[in-house]
Amino acid sequence: NAGVTQTPKFQVLKTGQSMTLQCAQDMNHNSMYWYRQDPGMGLRLIYYSASEGTTDKGEVPNGYNVSRLNKREFSLRLESAAPSQTSVYFCASSEPGLANEQFFGPGTRLTVL
Amino acid sequence: KQEVTQIPAALSVPEGENLVLNCSFTDSAIYNLQWFRQDPGKGLTSLLLIQSSQREQTSGRLNASLDKSSGRSTLYIAASQPGDSATYLCAVRRSGGGYNKLIFGAGTRLAVHP
């Protein structure tokens, strides 16, 4: 099992460009999440999908859109990148239940110039 | 609003020392608390998860405790090793509405030197 995979690992964009971050999990989890991590701030939730076909905003959704393509895949799109979106982005998945333990991907390091 | 604080922000200790990392949260209505390890440039690895009804969890040299009433958790690392050097994050899962969401602390950066 690969767990949670993310592509790309690194990306540099110019202000105003768009891109999509991809995430896939092979653990048959129902819930998936997108976080961003900035220095000294911990991880903050951008969007999450409790189950296939549903998405909800997290703490910092502005400037982002998401698509839950199927049960395995959850993508994050930046329509018009801004320098404030320079961050490390993590995808996670979990199975709702008693523990709902979240499993994380390796992250995408994004720089917006 | 739930806020999670980790103290200290950074810690440097000699190999072999026992150490304690602290995590505090402002709203005691949590479902569970999770401790993660993050190596530089890597993702998060779950270390321990404590349900709100539990007082502690142990895995090898790691022991995590939870005191919901005081809004605190500690991660105890016994006989530290250079391989323990990493950033340690705690996160709480809220109970009730928004139960799927984790609220993270900023982490404690640990360096264990030989």
Side-chain angles (χ1 to χ4, degrees), chain B residues 12-26:
Chain B
S12 180
V13 300
E15 182 177 5
E17 199 162 289
N18 300 326
L19 56 97
V20 174
L21 306 182
N22 296 295
C23 173
S24 61
F25 45 95
T26 54

Side-chain angles (χ1 to χ4, degrees), chain A residues 31 33 35 37 40-43 45 48 50 57-59 90 94 96-102 104-107 109, chain B residues 1 31-32 34 36 38 40-49 51 89 93 98-107:
Chain A
S31 299
Y33 313 82
Y35 293 89
Q37 185 178 34
M41 294 190 70
L43 278 75
L45 184 66
Y48 72 103
K57 296 178 180 179
E59 293 176 76
F90 289 100
S94 70
L98 183 62
N100 199 23
E101 184 175 355
Q102 293 191 17
F104 284 77
R109 188 172 296 272
Chain B
K1 179 186 174 186
Y31 199 84
N32 59 37
Q34 202 167 350
F36 294 89
Q38 185 177 28
K42 299 290 176 66
L44 279 67
T45 301
S46 179
L47 297 173
L48 290 164
L49 184 147
Q51 299 292 356
L89 298 159
R93 175 186 163 192
Y99 67 91
N100 273 332
K101 304 173 192 174
L102 288 178
I103 306 297
F104 281 84

Side-chain angles (χ1 to χ4, degrees), chain A residues 71-106:
Chain A
K71 191 172 184 179
R72 288 188 66 246
E73 298 171 290
F74 189 37
S75 63
L76 178 72
R77 182 160 178 84
L78 287 70
E79 291 290 352
S80 178
S84 61
Q85 294 178 305
T86 294
S87 189
V88 182
Y89 291 84
F90 289 100
C91 177
S93 71
S94 70
E95 184 57 31
L98 183 62
N100 199 23
E101 184 175 355
Q102 293 191 17
F103 296 86
F104 284 77

Side-chain angles (χ1 to χ4, degrees), chain B residues 19-25 30 32-35 47-59 61-77 90-92:
Chain B
L19 56 97
V20 174
L21 306 182
N22 296 295
C23 173
S24 61
F25 45 95
I30 65 169
N32 59 37
L33 183 145
Q34 202 167 350
W35 281 94
L47 297 173
L48 290 164
L49 184 147
I50 311 177
Q51 299 292 356
S52 61
S53 57
Q54 297 175 320
R55 296 286 291 181
E56 63 180 313
Q57 283 283 350
T58 298
S59 175
R61 295 182 293 109
L62 304 179
N63 176 276
S65 67
L66 175 64
D67 184 342
K68 260 184 45 173
S69 60
S70 66
R72 293 184 195 171
S73 176
T74 60
L75 179 67
Y76 175 83
I77 303 177
C90 74
V92 299

Side-chain angles (χ1 to χ4, degrees), chain A residues 23-91:
Chain A
C23 173
Q25 52 92 10
D26 62 3
M27 295 174 282
N28 202 36
H29 286 166
N30 278 292
S31 299
M32 297 185 73
Y33 313 82
W34 276 106
Y35 293 89
R36 60 179 287 173
Q37 185 178 34
D38 300 299
M41 294 190 70
L43 278 75
R44 292 180 292 168
L45 184 66
I46 304 171
Y47 270 94
Y48 72 103
S49 171
S51 61
E52 187 178 353
T54 68
T55 61
D56 284 286
K57 296 178 180 179
E59 293 176 76
V60 288
N62 291 346
Y64 305 95
N65 285 303
V66 291
S67 295
R68 184 73 184 268
L69 303 170
N70 48 54
K71 191 172 184 179
R72 288 188 66 246
E73 298 171 290
F74 189 37
S75 63
L76 178 72
R77 182 160 178 84
L78 287 70
E79 291 290 352
S80 178
S84 61
Q85 294 178 305
T86 294
S87 189
V88 182
Y89 291 84
F90 289 100
C91 177

